[in-house]
């Protein structure tokens, strides 16, 4: 079993992350620079990807934070 199969790592493009989060490329890059968003993996000089599970966890945390505020 390979590392990829063991951990089921799936990479998603910046374009896909924009679609998943409804954030712009600029918004994502600003959040990354500020440490408020999962970091990208550099694939080559100009192309990056993100670990899908990390993006999904970030979204889940945002929903949980919203729900905690609503429940106060």
């Amino acid at each position: 079993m390979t590392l990829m199969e063991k951990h089921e790592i799936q990479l998603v493009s910046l374009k896909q992350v924009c679609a998943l989060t409804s954030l712009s490329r600029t918004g994502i890059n600003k959040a990354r620079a500020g440490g408020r968003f999962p970091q990208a993996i550099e694939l080559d000089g100009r192309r990056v990807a993100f670990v899908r599970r990390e993006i999904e966890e970030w979204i889940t945390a945002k929903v949980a934070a919203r729900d905690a505020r609503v429940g106060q």
Side-chain angles (χ1 to χ4, degrees):
M1 179 179 291
T2 68
L3 178 65
M4 189 81 120
E5 291 169 334
K6 184 177 180 180
H7 296 288
E8 298 180 21
I9 296 171
Q10 182 180 13
L11 299 179
V12 292
S13 68
L14 181 56
K15 183 177 181 178
Q16 291 171 306
V17 173
C18 289
L20 288 169
T21 63
S22 296
L23 294 172
S24 68
R25 289 173 179 258
T26 301
I28 290 169
N29 288 330
K30 284 182 181 179
R32 283 175 48 209
R36 299 180 314 276
F37 198 81
Q39 290 301 306
I41 298 168
E42 188 174 318
L43 301 177
D44 64 29
R46 295 180 46 96
R47 184 129 173 111
V48 298
F50 296 82
V51 177
R52 182 180 198 92
R53 182 181 63 246
E54 293 175 358
I55 300 305
E56 291 170 346
E57 288 170 356
W58 181 86
I59 293 168
T60 300
K62 289 291 189 182
V63 171
R66 180 212 52 200
D67 291 348
R69 284 191 309 272
V70 171
Q72 291 179 351

